[in-house]
Amino acid sequence: MSAARLPRDLHPVAWWLWALGLAAVGSLTLNPLLLMTVIGVAVVTVTLRRGDHPWSRAFRIYVWLAVVIVVLRVLFRVLLGGGYGGTVILRLPEIPLPDVVLGIQLLGDVTAENVLGGFYDGLRLATLVLCVGAANALANPKRLLKSVPPALYEIGTVLVVAVTVVPQLADSARRVRAAQRLRPGPTGRVRSLRRFLVPILEDALERSLSLAAGMDVRGYGRSGDVPARQRLRTGALMVLGLMGVAVGTYAVLDTTAPRWLALPMLLGGLGVAVLGMLSAGRAVVRTRYRPDRWRAAEIAVVASGLGAAVLGWWVSTYQPVVAYPELLSVPQLSLTGLAAGLLGLVAAFAAPPPVLATGGPPAAFLVREREGAAA
Amino acid sequence: MIELRNISLTYAGPDDRPRRVLDAVDLTLEEGDLVLVAGRTGVGKSTLLGVLSGLVPRFTGGALTGRVLADGADITQTPPRERTGLVGYVGQDPAAGFVTDTVEEELAYGMEQLGLEPATMRRRVEETLDLLGVADLRDRDLRTLSGGQQQRVAIGSVLAMHPRYLVLDEPTSALDPTAAEEVLATLTRLVHDVGLGVVLAEHRLERVVPFADRMVLLAGGGAVREGHPADVLRDAEPDQPAPPIVELGRLAGWDPLPLTVREARRRARDLSVTPPEPAAPAPSTGRAVAAEVRGLTLARGPRVVLRDVDLTLPAGRVTALMGRNGAGKSTLLWALQGASPGTRHGGSLRVVGVDGPVDPTDLPRDDRWRRVGLVPQTAADLLYLETVAEECEAADGGAGAPAGTCAGLLDAMVTGIEADQHPRDLSEGQRLALVLAIVLTAGPDLLLLDEPTRGLDYAAKRVLAGIIGDQTAAGRAVLVATHDVEFVAGVADAVVVLAEGEVVSDGPVRRVLAESPSFAPQVTKVLGPGWLHVDEVARALAGAGR
């Protein structure tokens, strides 16, 4: 086995870009075959390459969410979508509604177009949800937040702490609920809410104080020796850049604005903002321990995701029959379309297996040694 | 060298009366010493450590006067984050101070803040992993570690920043005896090999005194005694905390006082006392059984938490439940209370009350406190109102007890609690008494206590032992899960030891404690099996003198 295939954690940004690529393919088509292919690729990759951390186990929740979305879509079409004609496959009694809600029909004839349209639409949404879920299961959200540029470090820290606090809050809620059942006390609805909330809030406050103390004694927020002049320069660059971005975005969206205000302004603003970030980043004294590095595997994963997105875009532009099939005909899949769906699977094999938190099996020679000792 | 010069700290107490915690304390700390800070609860041990780390008064409020000098330079106003090269601080609950989620990242976090070179960081992380013996845990999620492992990782995370002093607040209070020994051995090694100065506060002196080079005794009212532990303990008033071995030495009139079991054993050779008669053989046959567990097996997912546990709790007796962190003690208590802390795979639970035996799991969920009283590890979770009086009224109302029942119980347990005090302002021991009073208001037949001695000083533990004695006298069965060997020796009738969810040892306290080297109390270690606590020796000596 070459060194590149040994277990290690892939750069979280690589997984996210890959997942966004898959999501792009999904959002550019209504072809159920293509959507199913994308879903299959996401599920296979997650199964092969996720670790055993809590966030990896959360993928199941996304799967359930996706199923619920598809079922709800179809159900709503059946409930409300009648009255537009088409091939009737089931006749249900129509529930009469007052004239105020004109245009809405409750139940009534169920048409194949309706059901299929709802199914395709739901499938597309489910694909997007599963792609995000896959990224979440494959990449450590905390490491992703840590990959932000140094200038955004403070925001990253706030997000990391917020991510940590949620499971802790759930723990403390469970503990307090159990503890309050141990004592006699009032049982009214409002009063029991108080019994429950007060200890949790106290606990949360105490936790945040000890976390703040823990971060402070470990040197968080040390003032680097940044001269006032540089601080001023950084601030000015950031403000100017953000203003440029705001004006540029407005001009891009509002077609009546002068054209020189649109793209040039947006790009100029972005450029200035990046300069500001670089300037801020230079003033930061912090360093990163074992930063995630970009290697061949990362590039392959990103390339497979983005490649799939490009193919998906090509299909939706030049093969509209494949991307948006007729509702009543059997959907077709072109070779390019299939390639767009399957290209993402490259990531599952390009990425190395993850490092497991629980540790792998013991080394073979250790087992032998132990057996020898036992004998 | 860190010097405290004339340090005083005043909080605004209730009614705007200033409350002085530290009063003109002068102290000099040298590098390469392990300094133990001792004293009764509320005397300002944690505050003193906070002054060293800079967290007091920044995170606690209060007015600090006096000066803190590091090698002569005044650092009184320096915030903790700028003191990292001087002082590393580990708080009472190390898990609450963790910032990241794996061991390796936690060790690196402080160095990232200091802006060290990645190569330096990598080297120091490896060194720290080895120094603390946690190298095999490097990728583990911090929340899955045991208490002792968490404590060692927390020590490592400040150690990696290479401070000259390590300041620890009760580093072993939550640990079982073996894990505590490991942490203390690690600290001793740091003092000896690295030349670090270690300052730690601790209630369980019996654990720390043998390792301490110097001892600082905060005697209250601003009095500070400092010196070699033997000298400080010899001169201390009898109401100041002292480990059993020292009390034994004082009784026998040994000078200098022995601090380790080995020293004491040598001195004890010429102490001629006969061990007390073993208590009259179990009159438990005639006693009613308050609770019975037979073959209980509980699992959480694929993990078996309790396996085939048999336990009998006789009425009017105290049973102690001991074992490692994570051995299933708390799970067993919650199971006895009726809350199912896992899936039951067979076995039976019975709690016997006035109206016959019943499986507590079958009782209505919000009503089990009538039969079984449980005080959980974080007892404060039961409290939610603003004053002690309101808490007591709520308990009376909820239990349908006559008004004043709970307050009466509380008064009988401890004195000095004002009815209009906020429960959070009470001392650790007073708060425990309040929770106990609330739980006992319902008059349960079975009382379960989970780690009740955490954060209690010797005096508070004596009060707790008294309360437990009153409960058994009233015919209740008491089960105490604890790591505190000396407390068990003083209060329990029988001991059950759990390991990996199975009962490995079960019997009268004298036999079980003497059998195990890690659970034996100090007096047993010195005088041999047959002895449990100092009071027995005192009685024997008095008898011999007569």
Side-chain angles (χ1 to χ4, degrees):
Chain A
M1 201 187 274
S2 79
R5 308 297 311 151
L6 290 176
R8 75 181 172 92
D9 285 326
L10 209 69
H11 198 297
V13 173
W15 278 128
W16 271 95
L17 287 177
W18 168 83
L20 289 179
L22 286 196
V25 176
S27 68
L28 285 171
T29 181
L30 275 176
N31 186 329
L33 297 177
L34 186 50
L35 290 172
M36 292 291 228
T37 318
V38 173
I39 290 179
V41 165
V43 171
V44 167
T45 313
V46 166
T47 320
L48 285 178
R49 288 295 175 255
R50 72 168 161 181
D52 51 358
H53 296 277
W55 61 84
S56 313
R57 290 195 287 270
F59 188 65
R60 223 180 332 163
I61 300 170
Y62 288 94
V63 173
W64 277 114
L65 190 63
V67 171
V68 168
I69 285 173
V70 174
V71 170
L72 276 186
R73 277 270 160 167
V74 174
L75 235 122
F76 271 121
R77 287 290 179 107
V78 170
L79 266 179
L80 301 169
Y84 293 103
T87 326
V88 177
I89 49 170
L90 184 66
R91 285 188 194 284
L92 292 175
E94 188 182 334
I95 297 169
L97 288 176
D99 288 345
V100 192
V101 286
L102 204 71
I104 297 178
Q105 189 188 342
L106 208 53
L107 291 178
D109 296 345
V110 179
T111 62
E113 285 91 341
N114 239 335
V115 172
L116 280 177
F119 176 64
Y120 291 1
D121 214 37
L123 205 59
R124 175 159 74 169
L125 204 55
T127 311
L128 300 191
V129 165
L130 280 176
C131 286
V132 173
N136 232 336
L138 290 165
N140 183 343
K142 283 194 184 176
R143 286 199 81 88
L144 177 72
L145 291 172
K146 275 190 201 155
S147 312
V148 297
L152 299 180
Y153 182 85
E154 313 292 327
I155 300 170
T157 308
V158 170
L159 289 175
V160 168
V161 169
V163 169
T164 323
V165 160
V166 172
Q168 281 177 353
L169 214 58
D171 279 352
S172 105
R174 214 172 304 131
R175 220 186 57 224
V176 168
R177 183 188 280 279
Q180 284 292 336
R181 286 200 184 118
L182 298 175
R183 64 167 286 181
T187 45
R189 183 167 293 191
V190 178
R191 284 176 166 198
S192 24
L193 191 68
R194 181 177 177 192
R195 280 176 75 171
F196 187 55
L197 278 185
V198 171
I200 293 180
L201 291 180
E202 278 177 355
D203 198 53
L205 265 177
E206 223 153 67
R207 265 173 201 278
S208 26
L209 257 183
S210 32
L211 181 64
M215 288 169 76
D216 207 329
V217 294
R218 311 263 294 284
Y220 175 76
R222 282 163 71 93
S223 57
D225 307 318
V226 186
R229 198 128 154 237
Q230 193 186 345
R231 273 208 298 266
L232 194 69
R233 192 173 60 215
T234 308
L237 283 174
M238 291 295 253
V239 169
L240 279 178
L242 287 180
M243 274 166 63
V245 170
V247 171
T249 315
Y250 175 78
V252 166
L253 296 177
D254 180 6
T255 43
T256 59
R259 282 302 84 193
W260 62 268
L261 266 184
L263 265 189
M265 195 68 171
L266 183 62
L267 293 180
L270 274 178
V272 175
V274 166
L275 278 183
M277 278 196 195
L278 286 180
S279 163
R282 261 210 304 281
V284 173
V285 288
R286 278 176 301 269
T287 44
R288 281 289 312 281
Y289 173 72
R290 295 176 84 176
D292 294 303
R293 280 196 284 164
W294 284 89
R295 298 180 210 224
E298 273 83 358
I299 292 168
V301 166
V302 172
S304 80
L306 296 186
V310 169
L311 285 180
W313 167 81
W314 192 87
V315 170
S316 81
T317 315
Y318 298 105
Q319 297 181 335
V321 190
V322 175
Y324 302 99
E326 286 278 325
L327 281 179
L328 285 186
S329 59
V330 178
Q332 307 280 322
L333 200 52
S334 67
L335 198 65
T336 331
L338 191 65
L342 285 179
L343 190 58
L345 201 57
V346 172
F349 299 97
V355 180
L356 297 183
T358 45
F365 66 90
L366 280 180
V367 174
R368 231 175 290 136
E369 215 164 71
R370 230 174 275 152
E371 278 165 0
Chain B
M1 186 167 69
I2 300 186
E3 294 164 87
L4 301 184
R5 293 274 163 272
N6 203 20
I7 289 286
S8 300
L9 190 96
T10 337
Y11 291 115
D15 319 329
D16 292 325
R17 251 191 332 237
R19 197 161 63 85
R20 184 157 279 206
V21 181
L22 296 176
D23 195 6
V25 172
D26 283 308
L27 198 62
T28 306
L29 300 167
E30 302 278 356
E31 268 170 78
D33 274 352
L34 198 153
V35 182
L36 165 65
V37 180
R40 302 195 48 174
T41 311
V43 81
K45 297 190 296 297
S46 296
T47 311
L48 184 69
L49 300 190
V51 169
L52 287 175
S53 69
L55 290 172
V56 172
R58 241 167 227 90
F59 277 77
T60 55
L64 179 73
T65 57
R67 295 200 302 157
V68 184
L69 304 175
D71 298 327
D74 192 331
I75 56 160
T76 321
Q77 298 303 325
T78 315
R81 52 183 174 272
E82 307 287 349
R83 292 191 197 184
T84 47
L86 181 72
V87 176
Y89 174 83
V90 179
Q92 277 186 15
D93 180 6
F98 285 150
V99 188
T100 62
D101 48 13
T102 67
V103 171
E104 208 176 342
E105 282 172 16
E106 190 63 25
L107 294 184
Y109 180 80
M111 292 189 284
E112 288 184 343
Q113 305 306 315
L114 298 185
L116 296 183
E117 289 295 315
T120 317
M121 278 201 262
R122 190 64 204 272
R123 185 171 48 79
R124 279 204 203 170
V125 165
E126 299 302 327
E127 285 166 5
T128 314
L129 284 170
D130 283 340
L131 199 58
L132 296 163
V134 288
D136 47 337
L137 307 174
R138 64 163 68 216
D139 290 322
R140 281 277 294 277
D141 191 329
L142 290 169
R143 294 201 298 168
T144 64
L145 299 182
S146 74
Q149 291 169 336
Q150 281 184 342
Q151 188 65 256
R152 277 188 286 163
V153 171
I155 293 173
S157 69
V158 293
L159 209 60
M161 296 189 287
H162 285 194
R164 284 156 54 202
Y165 293 88
L166 200 55
V167 176
L168 305 117
D169 200 352
E170 298 201 28
T172 71
S173 68
L175 303 184
D176 59 65
T178 321
E181 296 246 316
E182 267 171 34
V183 168
L184 286 168
T186 307
L187 289 176
T188 324
R189 198 168 142 212
L190 292 175
V191 171
H192 286 232
D193 296 357
V194 190
L196 208 67
V198 172
V199 185
L200 58 89
E202 187 60 68
H203 279 308
R204 290 194 204 166
L205 298 183
E206 67 269 15
R207 285 180 172 178
V208 191
V209 161
F211 298 94
D213 297 309
R214 288 188 329 131
M215 181 168 169
V216 175
L217 181 66
L218 300 180
V224 176
R225 291 212 194 81
E226 128 184 65
H228 190 265
D231 302 333
V232 172
L233 286 168
R234 185 190 56 218
D235 300 337
E237 289 85 18
D239 64 327
Q240 291 300 334
I245 218 167
V246 166
E247 288 182 25
L248 186 68
R250 283 181 190 156
L251 263 178
W254 292 330
D255 190 54
L257 278 176
L259 297 179
T260 63
V261 170
R262 194 157 163 248
E263 285 169 27
R265 223 180 258 149
R266 262 184 227 147
R267 309 293 294 270
R269 280 183 204 137
D270 33 271
L271 187 71
S272 58
V273 280
T274 43
E277 291 293 308
S284 63
T285 40
R287 285 194 180 264
V289 170
E292 200 170 37
V293 178
R294 284 285 162 265
L296 181 68
T297 302
L298 269 183
R300 258 197 291 271
R303 211 173 86 80
V304 179
V305 199
L306 294 175
R307 199 192 290 272
D308 249 341
V309 172
D310 289 333
L311 181 71
T312 308
L313 302 177
R317 287 304 177 93
V318 182
T319 310
L321 190 58
M322 304 189 77
R324 255 175 244 128
N325 289 72
K329 301 189 296 294
S330 296
T331 311
L332 182 54
L333 291 196
W334 283 95
L336 268 168
Q337 192 266 337
S340 308
T343 331
R344 208 201 282 184
H345 294 274
S348 69
L349 277 172
R350 257 181 348 121
V351 173
V352 186
V354 274
D355 42 349
V358 63
D359 187 333
T361 327
D362 299 336
L363 295 171
R365 206 171 52 184
D366 294 326
D367 227 27
R368 294 184 185 127
W369 43 259
R370 287 187 197 283
R371 307 291 290 269
V372 184
L374 169 61
V375 177
Q377 243 176 56
T378 41
D381 285 347
L382 266 72
L383 305 174
Y384 68 103
L385 291 164
E386 264 109 69
T387 67
V388 173
E390 283 178 49
E391 290 282 4
C392 281
E393 279 162 31
D396 290 339
T405 313
C406 176
L409 282 167
L410 184 60
D411 277 343
M413 288 183 199
V414 283
T415 51
I417 297 183
E418 310 273 333
D420 59 347
Q421 260 182 301
H422 194 290
R424 297 190 76 80
D425 289 337
L426 301 177
S427 76
E428 203 79 38
Q430 289 172 329
R431 205 175 312 137
L432 181 69
L434 174 59
V435 172
L436 259 171
I438 291 172
V439 167
L440 289 173
T441 304
D445 308 307
L446 176 61
L447 181 63
L448 311 169
L449 304 171
D450 199 353
E451 288 292 340
T453 62
R454 201 173 166 174
L456 300 190
D457 58 19
Y458 289 100
K461 279 188 219 170
R462 262 195 293 279
V463 173
L464 179 64
I467 297 173
I468 292 178
D470 293 344
Q471 300 314 314
T472 48
R476 292 197 173 104
V478 182
L479 180 64
V480 191
T482 181
H483 295 312
D484 197 326
V485 178
E486 305 295 340
F487 182 71
V488 170
V491 79
D493 300 301
V495 179
V496 174
V497 181
L498 282 184
E500 304 286 310
E502 293 178 50
V503 175
V504 290
S505 183
D506 179 7
V509 60
R510 216 169 279 279
R511 180 169 66 73
V512 175
L513 287 191
E515 270 172 0
S516 148
S518 53
F519 289 140
Q522 285 193 319
V523 175
T524 313
K525 283 182 184 164
V526 172
L527 296 177
W531 299 93
L532 269 186
H533 44 90
V534 183
D535 296 350
E536 292 174 349
V537 185
R539 251 175 274 135
L541 279 176
R546 226 181 288 139

